């Protein structure tokens, strides 16, 4: 589902952050995310994802 949203909502310069505690899921998302203008950033913790998103928006 995450990769589908990544493909549908993708626009140049769009940043999509995902947080999951599962290392195998993080690796799968990293491997399957193609860079069609949207950056998919996968984090292990929600607080890290939120901090990174705020930093990217600043």
């Amino acid at each position: 589902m995450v990769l589908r949203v990544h493909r549908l909502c993708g626009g140049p310069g769009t940043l999509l952050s995902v947080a999951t505690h599962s290392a195998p899921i993080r690796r799968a998302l990293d491997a399957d995310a193609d860079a069609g203008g949207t950056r998919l950033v996968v984090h292990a913790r929600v607080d890290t994802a939120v901090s990174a998103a705020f930093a990217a928006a600043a």
Side-chain angles (χ1 to χ4, degrees):
M1 183 65 144
V2 170
L3 292 176
R4 183 172 183 214
V5 170
H6 176 241
R7 288 184 190 105
L8 290 174
C9 296
T14 303
L15 175 65
L16 178 65
S17 292
V18 177
T20 180
H21 68 279
S22 172
I25 292 175
R26 285 194 309 272
R27 285 192 295 271
L29 288 171
D30 281 335
D32 291 339
D34 47 40
T38 304
R39 296 182 303 158
L40 177 63
V41 183
V42 184
H43 299 278
R45 297 177 9 198
V46 173
D47 62 329
T48 306
V50 172
S51 296
F54 276 116

